[in-house]
Amino acid sequence: MLTIESPETDRLFSSIDLSGGAIVAVSGGSDSTALLLLLKDHIERHSPTVRLLAVTVDHALRAGSAAEADTVARLCAERGIPHKTVRWDGPKPATGLPAAARDARYRLLGRAAREAGIGLVLTGHTADDQAETVLMRQARAASTEADGRGLAGMAPATLYDGEIWIVRPLLGTRRAALRGWLTGQGAGWIDDPTNDNRTFERPRIRARLGDGEATQFERAIATADRAAGARTDLGTRAAALMRAHASRPAPGLLRLAPAFATAADRPAAVYALRILVAIAGGSSFLPDLARAEALFSRICGWRGPDPLRATLSHAVVDRRSAGLFLHREGRDLPPAGPVRDGTVWDGRYRITLGDGGGEFLIAAKGESAVAGALPVTACAPASLVHAALAAEPVFSMEKQGIMGGYLPASAQPVAAPFAHFLSGFDLAPARAVAELIGATAIAAPPLGSIGLKPWSKA
Protein backbone atom coordinates (compact mmCIF):
# COMPACT_ATOMS: atom_id res chain seq x y z
CA MET A 1 0.00 0.00 0.00
CA LEU A 2 1.32 3.45 -0.85
CA THR A 3 2.28 5.79 1.95
CA ILE A 4 1.17 9.38 1.36
CA GLU A 5 4.07 11.68 2.28
CA SER A 6 5.50 14.86 0.74
CA PRO A 7 7.82 13.05 -1.70
CA GLU A 8 4.86 10.89 -2.73
CA THR A 9 2.65 13.92 -3.40
CA ASP A 10 5.43 15.31 -5.55
CA ARG A 11 5.27 12.13 -7.65
CA LEU A 12 1.50 12.48 -7.95
CA PHE A 13 1.54 16.05 -9.23
CA SER A 14 4.99 16.99 -10.51
CA SER A 15 4.30 15.77 -14.06
CA ILE A 16 1.06 17.78 -14.36
CA ASP A 17 1.16 21.23 -15.94
CA LEU A 18 -0.72 23.34 -13.40
CA SER A 19 0.36 26.71 -14.83
CA GLY A 20 -3.12 27.47 -16.21
CA GLY A 21 -4.83 26.64 -12.94
CA ALA A 22 -6.70 23.53 -11.81
CA ILE A 23 -10.22 22.58 -10.87
CA VAL A 24 -10.65 19.69 -8.46
CA ALA A 25 -13.94 17.81 -8.56
CA VAL A 26 -14.81 17.29 -4.88
CA SER A 27 -17.80 15.25 -3.80
CA GLY A 28 -16.78 15.18 -0.14
CA GLY A 29 -15.85 11.49 -0.29
CA SER A 30 -12.47 10.30 0.89
CA ASP A 31 -10.85 10.09 -2.54
CA SER A 32 -11.73 13.57 -3.79
CA THR A 33 -11.17 15.18 -0.41
CA ALA A 34 -7.69 13.66 -0.19
CA LEU A 35 -6.95 14.78 -3.76
CA LEU A 36 -7.94 18.36 -2.95
CA LEU A 37 -5.90 18.57 0.24
CA LEU A 38 -2.87 16.83 -1.26
CA LEU A 39 -2.92 19.15 -4.26
CA LYS A 40 -3.37 22.20 -2.02
CA ASP A 41 -0.28 21.13 -0.07
CA HIS A 42 1.72 20.55 -3.28
CA ILE A 43 0.76 23.95 -4.73
CA GLU A 44 1.63 25.80 -1.51
CA ARG A 45 5.07 24.19 -1.45
CA HIS A 46 5.92 24.52 -5.15
CA SER A 47 3.61 26.94 -7.04
CA PRO A 48 1.72 29.19 -4.63
CA THR A 49 0.41 31.44 -7.43
CA VAL A 50 -1.44 28.63 -9.22
CA ARG A 51 -5.23 29.08 -9.30
CA LEU A 52 -7.08 26.30 -7.50
CA LEU A 53 -10.86 25.94 -7.57
CA ALA A 54 -12.87 23.17 -5.94
CA VAL A 55 -16.16 22.30 -7.66
CA THR A 56 -18.86 20.10 -6.14
CA VAL A 57 -21.56 18.62 -8.33
CA ASP A 58 -24.86 18.25 -6.49
CA HIS A 59 -26.70 15.58 -8.46
CA ALA A 60 -29.89 16.28 -6.48
CA LEU A 61 -30.58 12.55 -6.24
CA ARG A 62 -30.80 12.33 -2.44
CA ALA A 63 -32.36 14.51 0.23
CA GLY A 64 -28.98 15.17 1.87
CA SER A 65 -26.98 16.04 -1.22
CA ALA A 66 -27.25 19.82 -0.77
CA ALA A 67 -26.07 19.54 2.83
CA GLU A 68 -23.10 17.46 1.71
CA ALA A 69 -22.16 20.15 -0.82
CA ASP A 70 -22.37 22.71 2.00
CA THR A 71 -20.00 20.55 4.07
CA VAL A 72 -17.45 20.62 1.25
CA ALA A 73 -17.89 24.38 0.98
CA ARG A 74 -17.12 24.78 4.70
CA LEU A 75 -14.02 22.59 4.42
CA CYS A 76 -12.77 24.70 1.53
CA ALA A 77 -13.47 27.93 3.41
CA GLU A 78 -11.46 26.64 6.38
CA ARG A 79 -8.54 25.77 4.08
CA GLY A 80 -8.69 28.97 2.03
CA ILE A 81 -9.72 27.18 -1.17
CA PRO A 82 -12.23 28.84 -3.53
CA HIS A 83 -15.28 26.61 -3.96
CA LYS A 84 -18.32 26.41 -6.22
CA THR A 85 -21.36 24.12 -6.16
CA VAL A 86 -23.12 23.24 -9.41
CA ARG A 87 -26.44 21.38 -9.43
CA TRP A 88 -27.93 18.83 -11.81
CA ASP A 89 -31.44 20.18 -12.16
CA GLY A 90 -34.33 18.79 -14.14
CA PRO A 91 -35.93 15.33 -14.37
CA LYS A 92 -33.80 12.24 -13.82
CA PRO A 93 -34.10 9.10 -15.97
CA ALA A 94 -35.84 6.03 -14.61
CA THR A 95 -33.20 3.76 -16.16
CA GLY A 96 -29.51 4.21 -16.86
CA LEU A 97 -29.16 6.59 -13.93
CA PRO A 98 -25.41 6.06 -13.24
CA ALA A 99 -24.51 6.81 -16.87
CA ALA A 100 -26.80 9.84 -16.98
CA ALA A 101 -25.34 11.15 -13.72
CA ARG A 102 -21.83 10.69 -15.11
CA ASP A 103 -22.70 12.66 -18.25
CA ALA A 104 -24.30 15.41 -16.19
CA ARG A 105 -21.29 15.54 -13.86
CA TYR A 106 -18.79 16.07 -16.67
CA ARG A 107 -21.07 18.53 -18.45
CA LEU A 108 -21.33 20.65 -15.31
CA LEU A 109 -17.62 20.36 -14.56
CA GLY A 110 -16.82 21.36 -18.13
CA ARG A 111 -19.10 24.38 -17.88
CA ALA A 112 -17.50 25.43 -14.59
CA ALA A 113 -14.04 25.07 -16.15
CA ARG A 114 -14.97 27.22 -19.14
CA GLU A 115 -16.53 29.89 -16.95
CA ALA A 116 -13.38 29.98 -14.80
CA GLY A 117 -11.08 30.01 -17.83
CA ILE A 118 -9.33 26.84 -16.63
CA GLY A 119 -8.67 23.94 -18.97
CA LEU A 120 -7.75 21.30 -16.38
CA VAL A 121 -10.06 19.26 -14.14
CA LEU A 122 -8.61 16.77 -11.65
CA THR A 123 -10.72 13.88 -10.37
CA GLY A 124 -10.13 11.52 -7.47
CA HIS A 125 -10.36 8.18 -9.28
CA THR A 126 -8.14 5.65 -7.52
CA ALA A 127 -6.60 2.27 -8.25
CA ASP A 128 -9.69 0.75 -6.61
CA ASP A 129 -11.93 2.59 -9.10
CA GLN A 130 -9.73 1.35 -11.93
CA ALA A 131 -10.03 -2.27 -10.79
CA GLU A 132 -13.81 -1.94 -10.47
CA THR A 133 -14.05 -0.45 -13.96
CA VAL A 134 -12.02 -3.27 -15.50
CA LEU A 135 -14.04 -5.97 -13.75
CA MET A 136 -17.31 -4.42 -14.93
CA ARG A 137 -16.05 -4.18 -18.49
CA GLN A 138 -14.76 -7.74 -18.38
CA ALA A 139 -18.26 -8.90 -17.48
CA ARG A 140 -19.77 -6.92 -20.34
CA ALA A 141 -17.14 -8.13 -22.81
CA ALA A 142 -17.91 -11.72 -21.89
CA SER A 143 -21.58 -11.20 -22.73
CA THR A 144 -21.25 -8.93 -25.76
CA GLU A 145 -17.99 -10.10 -27.37
CA ALA A 146 -16.65 -6.53 -27.26
CA ASP A 147 -13.28 -5.73 -28.80
CA GLY A 148 -11.43 -5.43 -25.47
CA ARG A 149 -10.45 -1.76 -25.82
CA GLY A 150 -12.45 -0.93 -22.70
CA LEU A 151 -10.32 -3.27 -20.58
CA ALA A 152 -7.68 -0.54 -20.53
CA GLY A 153 -9.92 1.18 -17.99
CA MET A 154 -9.61 4.89 -17.32
CA ALA A 155 -6.74 6.79 -18.90
CA PRO A 156 -4.65 9.14 -16.75
CA ALA A 157 -5.77 11.96 -19.07
CA THR A 158 -8.97 12.37 -21.11
CA LEU A 159 -9.91 15.33 -23.32
CA TYR A 160 -13.52 16.41 -22.81
CA ASP A 161 -15.40 18.18 -25.64
CA GLY A 162 -12.13 18.98 -27.35
CA GLU A 163 -11.05 21.59 -24.79
CA ILE A 164 -11.04 20.43 -21.15
CA TRP A 165 -8.45 17.93 -19.93
CA ILE A 166 -9.63 15.58 -17.21
CA VAL A 167 -6.65 14.21 -15.28
CA ARG A 168 -6.69 11.40 -12.71
CA PRO A 169 -3.53 11.62 -10.57
CA LEU A 170 -4.59 8.94 -8.07
CA LEU A 171 -5.00 5.99 -10.44
CA GLY A 172 -1.92 4.41 -8.89
CA THR A 173 -3.04 4.93 -5.28
CA ARG A 174 -5.24 2.72 -3.11
CA ARG A 175 -8.26 4.17 -1.36
CA ALA A 176 -7.11 2.78 2.00
CA ALA A 177 -3.88 4.79 1.76
CA LEU A 178 -5.82 7.97 1.13
CA ARG A 179 -8.13 7.34 4.07
CA GLY A 180 -5.16 6.60 6.30
CA TRP A 181 -3.58 9.90 5.27
CA LEU A 182 -6.80 11.83 5.89
CA THR A 183 -7.15 10.28 9.34
CA GLY A 184 -3.59 11.28 10.14
CA GLN A 185 -4.39 14.84 9.07
CA GLY A 186 -7.48 14.94 11.27
CA ALA A 187 -9.67 15.37 8.18
CA GLY A 188 -12.96 13.55 7.70
CA TRP A 189 -15.01 12.67 4.68
CA ILE A 190 -18.56 11.88 3.63
CA ASP A 191 -19.64 8.31 2.93
CA ASP A 192 -22.16 8.35 0.08
CA PRO A 193 -24.85 5.71 0.82
CA THR A 194 -25.19 5.17 -2.92
CA ASN A 195 -21.81 3.41 -2.80
CA ASP A 196 -23.45 0.65 -0.75
CA ASN A 197 -26.55 0.31 -2.93
CA ARG A 198 -26.07 -3.02 -4.65
CA THR A 199 -28.88 -2.26 -7.04
CA PHE A 200 -26.10 -0.67 -9.08
CA GLU A 201 -23.28 -2.58 -10.71
CA ARG A 202 -20.29 -0.70 -9.31
CA PRO A 203 -21.24 -1.13 -5.62
CA ARG A 204 -21.63 -4.88 -6.23
CA ILE A 205 -18.14 -5.07 -7.72
CA ARG A 206 -16.77 -2.84 -4.94
CA ALA A 207 -18.20 -5.15 -2.30
CA ARG A 208 -16.44 -8.13 -3.91
CA LEU A 209 -13.10 -6.32 -3.93
CA GLY A 210 -13.66 -5.17 -0.37
CA ASP A 211 -13.99 -8.73 0.85
CA GLY A 212 -10.23 -9.21 0.78
CA GLU A 213 -9.89 -10.39 -2.80
CA ALA A 214 -6.38 -8.94 -3.23
CA THR A 215 -5.51 -11.34 -6.02
CA GLN A 216 -8.57 -10.27 -8.00
CA PHE A 217 -7.56 -6.63 -7.58
CA GLU A 218 -4.03 -7.27 -8.78
CA ARG A 219 -5.27 -9.24 -11.77
CA ALA A 220 -7.64 -6.44 -12.74
CA ILE A 221 -4.86 -3.84 -12.59
CA ALA A 222 -2.56 -6.12 -14.61
CA THR A 223 -5.32 -6.52 -17.20
CA ALA A 224 -5.67 -2.74 -17.43
CA ASP A 225 -1.91 -2.32 -17.91
CA ARG A 226 -1.79 -4.89 -20.73
CA ALA A 227 -4.92 -3.58 -22.44
CA ALA A 228 -3.73 0.03 -22.22
CA GLY A 229 -0.44 -0.88 -23.87
CA ALA A 230 -2.17 -2.92 -26.58
CA ARG A 231 -4.75 -0.20 -27.26
CA THR A 232 -2.10 2.52 -27.53
CA ASP A 233 0.06 0.39 -29.81
CA LEU A 234 -2.84 -0.56 -32.09
CA GLY A 235 -3.87 3.08 -32.33
CA THR A 236 -0.34 4.11 -33.28
CA ARG A 237 -0.23 1.51 -36.05
CA ALA A 238 -3.68 2.48 -37.32
CA ALA A 239 -2.63 6.15 -37.37
CA ALA A 240 0.39 5.27 -39.51
CA LEU A 241 -1.84 3.45 -42.00
CA MET A 242 -4.27 6.38 -42.20
CA ARG A 243 -1.45 8.84 -42.79
CA ALA A 244 -0.02 6.61 -45.49
CA HIS A 245 -3.25 5.81 -47.35
CA ALA A 246 -6.10 8.19 -46.44
CA SER A 247 -7.08 11.46 -48.11
CA ARG A 248 -10.10 13.76 -48.35
CA PRO A 249 -10.92 14.42 -52.04
CA ALA A 250 -13.95 16.58 -51.19
CA PRO A 251 -15.83 17.73 -48.06
CA GLY A 252 -17.53 14.72 -46.51
CA LEU A 253 -15.69 12.21 -48.72
CA LEU A 254 -12.80 10.05 -47.48
CA ARG A 255 -10.59 7.91 -49.71
CA LEU A 256 -8.26 5.05 -48.87
CA ALA A 257 -5.72 4.18 -51.55
CA PRO A 258 -5.99 0.70 -53.14
CA ALA A 259 -2.84 -0.39 -51.27
CA PHE A 260 -4.76 -0.09 -47.98
CA ALA A 261 -6.57 -3.34 -48.81
CA THR A 262 -3.25 -5.19 -48.98
CA ALA A 263 -1.79 -3.79 -45.74
CA ALA A 264 0.22 -6.44 -43.93
CA ASP A 265 -0.99 -5.27 -40.51
CA ARG A 266 -4.57 -6.49 -40.74
CA PRO A 267 -5.62 -5.69 -37.13
CA ALA A 268 -4.46 -2.09 -37.55
CA ALA A 269 -6.17 -1.84 -40.95
CA VAL A 270 -9.47 -3.07 -39.51
CA TYR A 271 -9.14 -0.62 -36.62
CA ALA A 272 -8.43 2.24 -39.03
CA LEU A 273 -11.46 1.22 -41.09
CA ARG A 274 -13.69 1.20 -38.01
CA ILE A 275 -12.52 4.69 -37.03
CA LEU A 276 -13.02 6.12 -40.52
CA VAL A 277 -16.44 4.52 -40.92
CA ALA A 278 -17.54 6.09 -37.62
CA ILE A 279 -16.19 9.48 -38.70
CA ALA A 280 -17.84 9.35 -42.14
CA GLY A 281 -21.16 8.33 -40.58
CA GLY A 282 -20.99 10.69 -37.60
CA SER A 283 -21.19 7.81 -35.12
CA SER A 284 -19.88 8.24 -31.57
CA PHE A 285 -19.17 4.50 -31.36
CA LEU A 286 -16.95 2.39 -33.55
CA PRO A 287 -18.82 -0.21 -35.60
CA ASP A 288 -18.91 -3.76 -34.30
CA LEU A 289 -15.56 -5.50 -34.67
CA ALA A 290 -16.97 -8.67 -36.24
CA ARG A 291 -18.96 -6.71 -38.85
CA ALA A 292 -15.93 -4.54 -39.64
CA GLU A 293 -13.71 -7.59 -40.08
CA ALA A 294 -16.25 -9.18 -42.41
CA LEU A 295 -16.46 -5.98 -44.44
CA PHE A 296 -12.68 -5.71 -44.64
CA SER A 297 -12.50 -9.29 -45.93
CA ARG A 298 -14.97 -8.37 -48.67
CA ILE A 299 -12.89 -5.30 -49.51
CA CYS A 300 -9.71 -7.36 -49.72
CA GLY A 301 -11.42 -9.96 -51.92
CA TRP A 302 -12.92 -7.44 -54.37
CA ARG A 303 -11.72 -7.86 -57.95
CA GLY A 304 -14.21 -5.65 -59.83
CA PRO A 305 -15.24 -4.45 -62.28
CA ASP A 306 -18.50 -3.53 -60.49
CA PRO A 307 -18.14 -1.44 -57.30
CA LEU A 308 -18.51 -3.14 -53.94
CA ARG A 309 -20.97 -1.10 -51.89
CA ALA A 310 -22.04 -1.49 -48.25
CA THR A 311 -23.41 0.64 -45.43
CA LEU A 312 -22.24 0.57 -41.85
CA SER A 313 -22.84 3.02 -38.98
CA HIS A 314 -24.59 5.52 -41.31
CA ALA A 315 -21.61 5.47 -43.67
CA VAL A 316 -21.49 4.26 -47.27
CA VAL A 317 -18.39 2.19 -48.03
CA ASP A 318 -17.68 2.05 -51.78
CA ARG A 319 -14.79 -0.03 -53.18
CA ARG A 320 -13.61 0.79 -56.70
CA SER A 321 -10.41 0.52 -58.68
CA ALA A 322 -9.58 4.10 -57.64
CA GLY A 323 -9.69 3.14 -53.97
CA LEU A 324 -12.02 2.73 -51.04
CA PHE A 325 -14.42 5.66 -50.49
CA LEU A 326 -16.49 6.52 -47.44
CA HIS A 327 -19.21 9.13 -47.03
CA ARG A 328 -22.37 9.79 -45.03
CA GLU A 329 -25.38 7.90 -46.36
CA GLY A 330 -28.33 10.01 -47.45
CA ARG A 331 -30.83 8.48 -45.01
CA ASP A 332 -31.67 9.71 -41.50
CA LEU A 333 -29.95 13.06 -41.86
CA PRO A 334 -31.06 15.70 -39.33
CA PRO A 335 -34.08 17.75 -40.43
CA ALA A 336 -33.73 21.51 -40.79
CA GLY A 337 -33.45 23.11 -37.38
CA PRO A 338 -32.27 26.28 -35.62
CA VAL A 339 -28.56 27.00 -35.50
CA ARG A 340 -27.28 26.45 -31.93
CA ASP A 341 -23.86 27.60 -30.84
CA GLY A 342 -21.47 24.85 -29.78
CA THR A 343 -23.68 21.96 -30.86
CA VAL A 344 -22.43 19.10 -33.00
CA TRP A 345 -24.50 18.62 -36.16
CA ASP A 346 -25.01 15.02 -37.31
CA GLY A 347 -21.99 13.94 -35.27
CA ARG A 348 -19.73 15.48 -37.91
CA TYR A 349 -19.56 19.27 -37.51
CA ARG A 350 -19.27 21.53 -34.49
CA ILE A 351 -21.26 24.72 -35.04
CA THR A 352 -19.93 28.11 -33.97
CA LEU A 353 -22.58 30.78 -34.05
CA GLY A 354 -22.18 34.31 -35.38
CA ASP A 355 -24.45 37.28 -34.72
CA GLY A 356 -28.19 36.76 -35.08
CA GLY A 357 -27.95 32.98 -35.21
CA GLY A 358 -31.48 32.50 -33.91
CA GLU A 359 -32.84 33.55 -37.29
CA PHE A 360 -31.01 30.84 -39.22
CA LEU A 361 -31.48 27.15 -39.91
CA ILE A 362 -29.05 24.33 -40.62
CA ALA A 363 -29.78 21.25 -42.73
CA ALA A 364 -28.18 18.89 -45.22
CA LYS A 365 -27.70 20.46 -48.67
CA GLY A 366 -29.57 17.77 -50.57
CA GLU A 367 -28.89 16.54 -54.08
CA SER A 368 -30.57 19.44 -55.87
CA ALA A 369 -28.35 21.99 -54.14
CA VAL A 370 -25.10 20.40 -55.34
CA ALA A 371 -26.12 19.48 -58.89
CA GLY A 372 -23.85 21.16 -61.43
CA ALA A 373 -21.55 22.59 -58.76
CA LEU A 374 -19.18 19.71 -58.17
CA PRO A 375 -15.48 20.31 -57.49
CA VAL A 376 -13.18 18.67 -60.01
CA THR A 377 -11.03 15.92 -58.54
CA ALA A 378 -9.05 13.30 -60.38
CA CYS A 379 -9.03 10.74 -57.57
CA ALA A 380 -12.77 10.39 -56.86
CA PRO A 381 -15.75 9.54 -59.08
CA ALA A 382 -18.12 12.49 -59.57
CA SER A 383 -21.08 10.44 -58.34
CA LEU A 384 -19.42 9.90 -54.96
CA VAL A 385 -18.43 13.55 -54.66
CA HIS A 386 -22.05 14.46 -55.40
CA ALA A 387 -23.40 12.04 -52.78
CA ALA A 388 -20.95 13.28 -50.14
CA LEU A 389 -21.70 16.95 -50.75
CA ALA A 390 -25.45 16.34 -50.62
CA ALA A 391 -25.04 15.25 -46.98
CA GLU A 392 -22.97 18.30 -46.00
CA PRO A 393 -24.51 21.07 -43.86
CA VAL A 394 -25.77 24.37 -45.22
CA PHE A 395 -27.12 27.44 -43.43
CA SER A 396 -30.27 29.19 -44.54
CA MET A 397 -32.67 31.90 -43.51
CA GLU A 398 -36.06 30.55 -42.58
CA LYS A 399 -37.87 32.67 -45.21
CA GLN A 400 -35.17 33.43 -47.78
CA GLY A 401 -33.49 30.10 -48.44
CA ILE A 402 -29.81 29.16 -48.69
CA MET A 403 -27.32 31.83 -47.65
CA GLY A 404 -24.79 33.19 -50.07
CA GLY A 405 -21.79 35.31 -49.11
CA TYR A 406 -22.21 36.12 -45.41
CA LEU A 407 -22.61 33.04 -43.25
CA PRO A 408 -24.20 33.26 -39.79
CA ALA A 409 -22.11 30.41 -38.39
CA SER A 410 -19.21 28.12 -39.17
CA ALA A 411 -19.09 24.34 -39.26
CA GLN A 412 -15.82 22.75 -38.10
CA PRO A 413 -15.31 19.03 -38.82
CA VAL A 414 -15.13 16.76 -35.78
CA ALA A 415 -14.20 13.10 -35.40
CA ALA A 416 -17.31 11.69 -33.73
CA PRO A 417 -15.67 8.81 -31.79
CA PHE A 418 -13.24 11.27 -30.17
CA ALA A 419 -15.31 14.47 -30.03
CA HIS A 420 -16.93 14.05 -26.59
CA PHE A 421 -14.40 11.96 -24.67
CA LEU A 422 -10.91 11.40 -26.11
CA SER A 423 -9.00 8.88 -24.02
CA GLY A 424 -5.28 9.48 -23.72
CA PHE A 425 -4.83 5.96 -25.09
CA ASP A 426 -6.29 7.11 -28.43
CA LEU A 427 -4.26 10.25 -29.08
CA ALA A 428 -2.38 8.85 -32.09
CA PRO A 429 -5.41 7.90 -34.24
CA ALA A 430 -7.34 10.99 -33.09
CA ARG A 431 -4.54 13.27 -34.25
CA ALA A 432 -4.25 11.44 -37.56
CA VAL A 433 -7.94 11.85 -38.36
CA ALA A 434 -7.97 15.47 -37.17
CA GLU A 435 -5.33 16.21 -39.78
CA LEU A 436 -7.25 14.21 -42.38
CA ILE A 437 -10.63 15.91 -42.02
CA GLY A 438 -9.43 19.39 -41.05
CA ALA A 439 -10.62 19.23 -37.46
CA THR A 440 -9.17 21.41 -34.72
CA ALA A 441 -5.70 20.23 -33.74
CA ILE A 442 -5.60 18.27 -30.50
CA ALA A 443 -3.71 20.03 -27.74
CA ALA A 444 -1.00 18.19 -25.88
CA PRO A 445 -2.18 16.63 -22.62
CA PRO A 446 -1.06 18.47 -19.47
CA LEU A 447 1.07 15.51 -18.42
CA GLY A 448 4.71 14.73 -18.94
CA SER A 449 3.57 11.21 -19.86
CA ILE A 450 0.10 9.77 -20.42
CA GLY A 451 1.24 6.24 -19.59
CA LEU A 452 -0.48 4.58 -16.66
CA LYS A 453 0.92 5.40 -13.25
CA PRO A 454 1.21 1.77 -12.12
CA TRP A 455 -0.25 0.63 -8.85
CA SER A 456 2.62 -0.29 -6.54
CA LYS A 457 3.07 -1.86 -3.16
CA ALA A 458 5.05 -0.56 -0.24
Side-chain angles (χ1 to χ4, degrees):
M1 182 180 297
L2 289 176
T3 301
I4 307 297
E5 299 172 347
S6 292
E8 181 59 36
T9 61
D10 290 346
R11 183 187 73 78
L12 290 173
F13 304 116
S14 61
S15 66
I16 303 174
D17 181 3
L18 300 169
S19 60
I23 285 177
V24 178
V26 188
S27 66
S30 58
D31 305 344
S32 60
T33 300
L35 172 63
L36 177 65
L37 299 184
L38 288 166
L39 180 61
K40 171 70 170 174
D41 173 72
H42 177 82
I43 288 175
E44 288 179 340
R45 288 186 293 107
H46 296 286
S47 307
T49 61
V50 166
R51 290 179 63 200
L52 176 61
L53 172 64
V55 175
T56 300
V57 177
D58 178 3
H59 294 88
L61 294 173
R62 293 180 289 103
S65 63
E68 292 169 2
D70 290 341
T71 299
V72 177
R74 287 194 297 273
L75 169 68
C76 290
E78 293 168 1
R79 304 281 178 147
I81 302 171
H83 175 268
K84 180 178 184 177
T85 297
V86 292
R87 181 182 171 92
W88 182 25
D89 291 319
K92 308 301 189 289
T95 59
L97 184 59
R102 171 181 174 271
D103 287 345
R105 179 163 59 252
Y106 284 117
R107 182 177 68 254
L108 292 168
L109 288 170
R111 182 187 302 167
R114 285 187 289 270
E115 291 174 351
I118 296 175
L120 174 64
V121 174
L122 275 62
T123 67
H125 294 106
T126 66
D128 298 78
D129 294 310
Q130 184 77 301
E132 293 160 12
T133 297
V134 171
L135 290 173
M136 288 190 295
R137 292 179 180 177
Q138 278 182 323
R140 294 171 195 163
S143 61
T144 63
E145 298 182 2
D147 62 8
R149 294 169 66 249
L151 297 183
M154 294 175 283
T158 298
L159 184 62
Y160 176 72
D161 273 356
E163 57 179 337
I164 307 295
W165 280 103
I166 299 166
V167 173
R168 306 174 177 95
L170 303 181
L171 281 184
T173 306
R174 294 300 306 266
R175 179 170 293 119
L178 296 171
R179 292 186 170 186
W181 181 83
L182 285 172
T183 300
Q185 298 292 309
W189 62 85
I190 300 167
D191 284 318
D192 184 348
T194 305
N195 291 330
D196 296 323
N197 184 352
R198 300 193 186 186
T199 301
F200 300 118
E201 181 182 23
R202 186 174 289 274
R204 292 197 299 270
I205 295 293
R206 182 169 296 172
R208 284 169 50 192
L209 289 173
D211 289 338
E213 297 188 27
T215 301
Q216 187 175 17
F217 170 85
E218 292 172 7
R219 286 176 179 170
I221 295 299
T223 295
D225 287 343
R226 289 193 300 270
R231 177 169 170 173
T232 302
D233 178 64
L234 182 62
T236 301
R237 287 151 43 206
L241 285 177
M242 288 187 282
R243 286 195 169 97
H245 298 293
S247 61
R248 184 172 175 256
L253 182 63
L254 303 178
R255 174 183 177 266
L256 286 161
F260 176 79
T262 60
D265 190 347
R266 183 185 176 96
V270 171
Y271 188 36
L273 178 63
R274 295 173 71 199
I275 292 171
L276 294 176
V277 164
I279 290 167
S283 174
S284 298
F285 301 98
L286 301 188
D288 177 75
L289 176 59
R291 293 186 66 189
E293 287 179 332
L295 176 58
F296 188 70
S297 294
R298 292 177 61 197
I299 292 167
C300 293
W302 178 83
R303 297 295 180 267
D306 295 330
L308 183 158
R309 195 168 184 270
T311 58
L312 185 62
S313 297
H314 294 297
V316 174
V317 181
D318 195 306
R319 175 71 161 103
R320 305 190 180 204
S321 58
L324 179 67
F325 297 90
L326 302 94
H327 63 85
R328 175 67 161 91
E329 67 174 331
R331 297 183 303 169
D332 300 322
L333 286 161
V339 176
R340 304 295 187 196
D341 186 48
T343 58
V344 175
W345 183 82
D346 195 40
R348 297 182 293 137
Y349 289 94
R350 191 179 300 278
I351 307 304
T352 301
L353 187 62
D355 295 334
E359 303 174 6
F360 300 100
L361 301 177
I362 184 172
K365 289 180 179 179
E367 294 187 3
S368 60
V370 299
L374 300 179
V376 177
T377 174
C379 60
S383 61
L384 296 183
V385 175
H386 184 285
L389 292 179
E392 290 293 280
V394 65
F395 300 106
S396 65
M397 292 189 70
E398 190 169 1
K399 297 181 180 180
Q400 298 181 22
I402 294 175
M403 293 292 297
Y406 167 74
L407 293 178
S410 62
Q412 180 74 22
V414 297
F418 308 125
H420 197 39
F421 287 101
L422 169 57
S423 167
F425 303 135
D426 300 330
L427 278 178
R431 284 175 169 156
V433 297
E435 295 168 10
L436 173 64
I437 66 176
T440 302
I442 297 168
L447 292 175
S449 170
I450 62 167
L452 281 174
K453 300 176 184 298
W455 172 75
S456 57
K457 304 175 185 176

